[in-house]
Every structure is written in structure tokens, then in C-alpha cells.
């Protein structure tokens, strides 16, 4: 087939591996194609501005994998598959900036646990992606790179904080995207960029080697084009890590493979609760609501049983009254920075603030975070309220005999550049620690700046360690939506 004829647009892990085995494509050719796309579209052309740095060693690694393939075939389940890592995830030969000039040039001494797992499966890290600085909010703007744009509407943000990963995957700059999520940050870019975003149960994926925001709520996860590829990546990056004690809870809760649950009839007889309080009621919410309701109709046609949830949950109140992210930022970030040793002068949140080397858009949040800590009564009150919320969600699921809960990820389309992200619902999964997945739901009506319309995401949440049921549901809906 040759490098020139292989299309990245509809590539999957399987299609790439098929091309390798048929000798129609090499790892080196594939990596070159992705890097060429980055060079042609990220800083020039549409100027998506999603890539902080390209891994100069990627082509060497691709050549090594090509040699290994000649001798023994595929070296792992992700052999030669290009990965885009959010730049708060450590890679030994690349700096980890967390999007901040204050950490520019700082390299970790070892790979993050999930980086190591990806490499062991044969994947190639080809670039680090932009994020909202220190993953603190949702527009994907940083002092190290600036504003990333949404490929579907260059006047809008790509969501955040993992918007660099989302925009880059949407632009076919790589096949595997890895983001992190403290409140909305995997699922927001997935919703805004027409992708699959999977936030797993807290403890399924290690956070060691990832710049933290709030270790009570932080997790990493895939941002991908398809549910099948999301399952394949989750197979690789999940599991116990002695450097993250929460992952010990995953033992006995991980199936041999999540791909076992990719059932085209996965919606049949699933009882799914529609969380009405997460739908907007204003004219500005109408387009999103209509798209979500159309998906609910598809779900019913595929055999799902939909039940309206009467209980009122207010997403904004969950952030204001329960989320602990700002209370944990200082201590969790400081511990990570101290772990970098003497190589870094700016080794605390206080010194970051004092340096002035950050985007001014995060100034209010980091200044507030500097005044908060885990010993405050309000922090412990929030943890107590978090437990009450977990119990409430479980009671709702028990009362209605639910397999999952469904709602729009964002009540109205992702915001324009320069505006702050609003009306997102991802906090329910983040605060409970329960798994959720955002799936492409459709597009708003076309506009002058969005010829296809603006992507809208539908979110499904289930109980702890119930990823397998989520995969059944989202795969069933994804397949029913394919023409």
C-alpha cells in the first residue's frame, strides 16, 4: 500500500496492525505520517496549537519496532501505535511542564506508571499535548503554549483541561490520546471534539508520575476515536502500582479484557436512569437537549429501558460544596515537585505564585489554593458530603434497579475562546469516584464557523468497578449510530 496511500482518517489499532502484518505499512512510515500532520496543521494551517513538543526519539523507536517485527511479529497489543500524552504525564526523555513556564525544561527521572505500561505494550509516545495550566480549569490555555483551538470550530475552545489531547486526536495527530481528569477534564474535550472519553473508577489507573491536582479525585484515562480502541488502551494502562496505594483496590476488579464487553446488542434490557436535573431548561440548552433525546430514542430502539430520575442533583453545587480539588492542590502538587529533587528551584505552589511564571487565568485559583489545606474543617466536611453523595447515587441505582445513569456532559455547546467553561456535568463522576464515559452524540446546527456544527457529548455513569457494563452500553450506542 505504501506510506502515501495509507489513510489516518479512519485508522484504528486493528487496521494499523493489519497493515503491518500485510507489509503494507511500517511503524516508521506511520510515525512519519502523524508527525507530518502535526507539522502541517498545528502551528501553521488551521493553527490548532495543541502540541507542546514532538518526541525526537519517536522515529528511532519506530525503526527498532520495525526490526523486532521482522524477527517475531507484533511485540505487544499496542505495537507501533502513536500516543499523545497530556503534558502533566512524565516521560523520561521529555520535559513535563504541566503547561507552565515555571516548569519549562524539567525532566522526570522515570516514566509515569502508565507511560511505562504503554511502552511495554509497544506504543510510541510521539508528542506531549497542551492542557489548561496545571490542569486547573477547562479552556486549555497555558503559559507554555497559549490557547488550543477546537478543530470543529476555530472560534471555540476544545474543552479542558485535556483539550490539547482532545484537539490533537480529533486532528489525527496520533491514535491514542491520554488525558487526566479531576472534575471534567477527560470527558469535556471528548464532548467538545466528537470523541470517546473514559474516566475510570478511582484506583483503576495509577497516578504515579503524573503532576497532581487532587489525589482524591485525579485519574488518567483514554481520549479516543472509538469505543473499541478505548477498551484496548484501558486493558493496558489499568492495574496495581505499588507507588499508588489506591490501585490496590483494583485487584480482583479488572477483567481479562474489556474488549469482551463490546457487544453490539449491549443496550438490550439495560436499565438506564435519565438524570433530568442535569438537563438545561433554557432556550440556550435546546439544541443539546434535542441531540441527547434523539440518542435516548436510539437507545430505546436497541432495547434499553429508560427510567426518569426524580431526585434533584445540582452539578454546580457539587463543585461549590463537595469537590476537594482546591483544598488538595497545594499539598499534592508540592509533594510531586519535591520529588523532582534539587534539579528544580520552583518546588512549591508558593514559589510558582511568587515567580509569576504562569498564565494569569489561573491566578485566582492558585492564590485561593495556597490558603487552603487538608487540615481545615471545611475539607473534612466536604469529604463527609462526598460519602453522602456516593451513597445517594447508589441508592438511586438500587431504587430504580439501574445499570447506568445518563445525561448531557455539557448543557450547552462548548464555549468560545475567551469565555470560561460553564454548565458541565462531569463533576458527578469526579466527586463520587465512579466510572463514566462520554460518547459522541451528534452536532448542533451548522454555523459560519462550524460547518458541521458543534460536537455534543452524552455521558453515562455507573457504579464503582462497573466499567464492563459501561462498555456494553456505549459500544451498543456507538454501533447503532453508525451508518
Amino acid at each position: 500500500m505504501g506510506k502515501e496511500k495509507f489513510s489516518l482518517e479512519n485508522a484504528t489499532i486493528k487496521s494499523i496492525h493489519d497493515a503491518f502484518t500485510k507489509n503494507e505499512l511500517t511503524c516508521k512510515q506511520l510515525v512519519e505520517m502523524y508527525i507530518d500532520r502535526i507539522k502541517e496543521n498545528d502551528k501553521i494551517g488551521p493553527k490548532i496549537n495543541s502540541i507542546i513538543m514532538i518526541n525526537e526519539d519517536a522515529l528511532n523507536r519506530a525503526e527498532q519496532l520495525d526490526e523486532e517485527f521482522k524477527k517475531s511479529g507484533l511485540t505487544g497489543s499496542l505495537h507501533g501505535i502513536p500516543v499523545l500524552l497530556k503534558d502533566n504525564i512524565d516521560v523520561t526523555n521529555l520535559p513535563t511542564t504541566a503547561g507552565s513556564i515555571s516548569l519549562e525544561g524539567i525532566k522526570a527521572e522515570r516514566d509515569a506508571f502508565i507511560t511505562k505500561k504503554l511502552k511495554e505494550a509497544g506504543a510510541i509516545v510521539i508528542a506531549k499535548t497542551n492542557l489548561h495550566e496545571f490542569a486547573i480549569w477547562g479552556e486549555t490555555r497555558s503559559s507554555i503554549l497559549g490557547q488550543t483551538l477546537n478543530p470543529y470550530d476555530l472560534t471555540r475552545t476544545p474543552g479542558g483541561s485535556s483539550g490539547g489531547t482532545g484537539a490533537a486526536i480529533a486532528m489525527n495527530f496520533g491514535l491514542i490520546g491520554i488525558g487526566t481528569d479531576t472534575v471534567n477534564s477527560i470527558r469535556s474535550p471528548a464532548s467538545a471534539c466528537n470523541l470517546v472519553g473514559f474516566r475510570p473508577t478511582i484506583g483503576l489507573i495509577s497516578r504515579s508520575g503524573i503532576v497532581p491536582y487532587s489525589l482524591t479525585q485525579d485519574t488518567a484515562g483514554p481520549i479516543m476515536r472509538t469505543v473499541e480502541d478505548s477498551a484496548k488502551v484501558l486493558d493496558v494502562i489499568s492495574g496495581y502500582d505499588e507507588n499508588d496505594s489506591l490501585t490496590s483496590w483494583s485487584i480482583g476488579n479488572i477483567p481479562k479484557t474489556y474488549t469482551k464487553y463490546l457487544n453490539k446488542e449491549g443496550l438490550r434490557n439495560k436499565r438506564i436512569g435519565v438524570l433530568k436535573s442535569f438537563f438545561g431548561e433554557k432556550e440556550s440548552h435546546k439544541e443539546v437537549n434535542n441531540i441527547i433525546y434523539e440518542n435516548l430514542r436510539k437507545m430505546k430502539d436497541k432495547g434499553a429501558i429508560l427510567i426518569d430520575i426524580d431526585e434533584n442533583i445540582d452539578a454546580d453545587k457539587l463543585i461549590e460544596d463537595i469537590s476537594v480539588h482546591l483544598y488538595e492542590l497545594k499539598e499534592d502538587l508540592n509533594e510531586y515537585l519535591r520529588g523532582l529533587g534539587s534539579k528544580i528551584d520552583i518546588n512549591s505552589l508558593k514559589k510558582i505564585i511568587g515567580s509569576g511564571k504562569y498564565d494569569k487565568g489561573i491566578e485566582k485559583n492558585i492564590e485561593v489554593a495556597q490558603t487552603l489545606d487538608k487540615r481545615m474543617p471545611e475539607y473534612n466536611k466536604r469529604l463527609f458530603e462526598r460519602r453522602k453523595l456516593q451513597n445517594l447515587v447508589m441508592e438511586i441505582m438500587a431504587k430504580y434497579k439501574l445499570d447506568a445513569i445518563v445525561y448531557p456532559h455539557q448543557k450547552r455547546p462548548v464555549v468560545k475562546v475567551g469565555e470560561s467553561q460553564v454548565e458541565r456535568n462531569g463533576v458527578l463522576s469526579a466527586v463520587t469516584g465512579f466510572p463514566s464515559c462520554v460518547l459522541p452524540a451528534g452536532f448542533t446546527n451548522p454555523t459560519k464557523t462550524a460547518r458541521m456544527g458543534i460536537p455534543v457529548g452524552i455521558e453515562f455513569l455507573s457504579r464503582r468497578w462497573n466499567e464492563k457494563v459501561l462498555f456494553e452500553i456505549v459500544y451498543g450506542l456507538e454501533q447503532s449510530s453508525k451508518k
Side-chain angles (χ1 to χ4, degrees):
M1 182 181 294
K3 171 182 168 183
E4 305 78 26
K5 298 179 182 178
F6 185 85
S7 171
L8 300 181
E9 186 174 349
N10 297 309
T12 64
I13 294 169
K14 183 180 185 303
S15 72
I16 288 172
H17 283 174
D18 286 347
F20 288 163
T21 56
K22 293 175 183 176
N23 294 317
E24 295 174 343
L25 184 71
T26 66
C27 289
K28 183 180 179 182
Q29 288 173 335
L30 181 68
V31 170
E32 286 175 337
M33 292 170 74
Y34 279 114
I35 291 176
D36 285 348
R37 275 194 63 85
I38 293 170
K39 290 180 178 178
E40 292 166 4
N41 294 280
D42 197 57
K43 301 300 184 290
I44 59 175
K47 298 182 181 179
I48 299 299
N49 204 40
S50 63
I51 303 298
I52 290 179
M53 68 198 80
I54 294 174
N55 181 8
E56 294 181 357
D57 192 50
L59 285 172
N60 291 333
R61 180 57 183 149
E63 289 177 346
Q64 292 171 5
L65 285 169
D66 283 333
E67 290 302 312
E68 292 174 27
F69 180 79
K70 290 176 184 177
K71 296 175 183 177
S72 56
L74 298 175
T75 61
S77 63
L78 301 180
H79 176 98
I81 305 298
V83 177
L84 300 167
L85 284 182
K86 184 177 181 179
D87 195 26
N88 59 350
I89 301 171
D90 288 342
V91 181
T92 50
N93 65 320
L94 297 173
T96 301
T97 71
S100 183
I101 292 175
S102 66
L103 300 186
E104 188 172 18
I106 301 299
K107 293 183 180 180
E109 293 180 354
R110 62 181 182 180
D111 287 332
F113 184 79
I114 60 170
T115 305
K116 179 173 175 285
K117 298 271 277 185
L118 288 164
K119 288 181 176 180
E120 288 173 349
I124 303 172
V125 177
I126 64 167
K128 302 288 285 293
T129 59
N130 199 26
L131 62 153
H132 205 97
E133 192 156 346
F134 289 108
I136 281 176
W137 202 240
E139 296 82 50
T140 310
R141 188 177 71 247
S142 69
S143 62
I144 203 81
L145 192 66
Q147 176 70 57
T148 297
L149 304 180
N150 190 317
Y152 287 92
D153 183 345
L154 298 178
T155 69
R156 293 181 185 269
T157 77
S161 64
S162 309
T165 301
I169 292 295
M171 285 295 296
N172 292 302
F173 292 165
L175 188 67
I176 295 173
I178 301 294
T180 63
D181 191 312
T182 305
V183 182
N184 294 281
S185 298
I186 287 170
R187 295 149 300 143
S188 172
S191 176
C193 297
N194 197 41
L195 300 168
V196 180
F198 206 103
R199 179 190 164 96
T201 302
I202 286 285
L204 187 69
I205 296 175
S206 171
R207 290 83 51 84
S208 66
I210 300 176
V211 181
Y213 187 175
S214 165
L215 289 175
T216 296
Q217 297 174 197
D218 285 350
T219 186
I223 302 174
M224 310 287 293
R225 284 193 166 276
T226 71
V227 173
E228 180 178 342
D229 282 355
S230 300
K232 289 179 178 180
V233 171
L234 199 61
D235 279 346
V236 168
I237 63 177
S238 60
Y240 172 64
D241 173 18
E242 64 182 11
N243 293 310
D244 185 348
S245 61
L246 275 181
T247 59
S248 61
W249 290 87
S250 72
I251 295 174
N253 288 306
I254 303 175
K256 185 176 181 181
T257 175
Y258 289 107
T259 61
K260 177 182 176 181
Y261 302 97
L262 303 179
N263 177 7
K264 288 184 179 180
E265 297 299 318
L267 281 165
R268 189 162 303 283
N269 296 322
K270 291 294 191 300
R271 293 178 61 86
I272 301 173
V274 181
L275 187 54
K276 304 294 286 187
S277 64
F278 271 24
F279 288 69
E281 298 177 347
K282 299 176 182 177
E283 184 64 26
S284 59
H285 303 131
K286 188 174 180 179
E287 274 195 291
V288 167
N289 287 347
N290 288 341
I291 291 167
I292 301 301
Y293 287 134
E294 176 59 28
N295 279 262
L296 299 184
R297 283 191 286 273
K298 289 180 185 177
M299 290 160 60
K300 288 182 72 174
D301 289 344
K302 295 297 290 184
I305 302 163
L306 302 183
I307 302 99
D308 286 347
I309 295 174
D310 296 327
E311 284 81 355
N312 180 64
I313 300 175
D314 186 326
D316 290 337
K317 286 290 185 183
L318 299 187
I319 295 175
E320 293 170 9
D321 299 338
I322 301 180
S323 182
V324 296
H325 56 289
L326 286 179
Y327 287 82
E328 295 189 343
L329 173 60
K330 177 177 65 178
E331 293 182 37
D332 291 349
L333 178 59
N334 286 356
E335 184 174 355
Y336 169 87
L337 294 174
R338 285 195 296 269
L340 295 174
S342 58
K343 68 177 72 174
I344 177 171
D345 295 325
I346 301 176
N347 59 5
S348 69
L349 181 60
K350 183 177 181 180
K351 288 186 177 181
I352 290 168
I353 295 170
S355 74
K357 296 180 178 180
Y358 54 83
D359 184 271
K360 297 307 177 185
I362 68 168
E363 188 164 61
K364 181 179 178 181
N365 279 334
I366 59 177
E367 287 180 346
V368 169
Q370 180 60 29
T371 69
L372 305 176
D373 61 51
K374 300 176 185 179
R375 290 167 293 279
M376 302 177 81
E378 175 64 21
Y379 173 71
N380 288 304
K381 177 186 175 185
R382 286 170 179 254
L383 291 179
F384 177 71
E385 293 297 327
R386 176 176 182 263
R387 177 55 59 89
K388 284 173 61 178
L389 178 66
Q390 290 171 329
N391 288 340
L392 172 62
V393 173
M394 291 303 291
E395 286 170 5
I396 289 171
M397 296 193 76
K399 174 182 175 181
Y400 298 105
K401 300 178 182 178
L402 301 179
D403 294 292
I405 296 172
V406 66
Y407 43 87
H409 174 75
Q410 191 157 353
K411 293 177 184 176
R412 60 181 177 87
V414 67
V415 297
K416 295 270 190 177
V417 169
E419 298 177 13
S420 293
Q421 219 60 258
V422 293
E423 299 190 296
R424 295 182 295 176
N425 292 320
V427 64
L428 182 60
S429 171
V431 171
T432 59
F434 295 176
S436 72
C437 181
V438 161
L439 194 70
F443 293 84
T444 65
N445 292 325
T447 69
K448 290 181 180 179
T449 57
R451 288 181 292 175
M452 292 179 62
I454 303 156
V456 171
I458 186 170
E459 183 163 0
F460 296 87
L461 176 140
S462 194
R463 58 178 60 83
R464 191 176 293 168
W465 310 118
N466 217 21
E467 281 81 2
K468 56 185 181 291
V469 170
L470 279 181
F471 274 117
E472 287 184 328
I473 290 169
V474 297
Y475 188 75
L477 180 55
E478 177 193 55
Q479 296 304 303
S480 73
S481 299
K482 288 189 173 181
K483 295 179 180 179

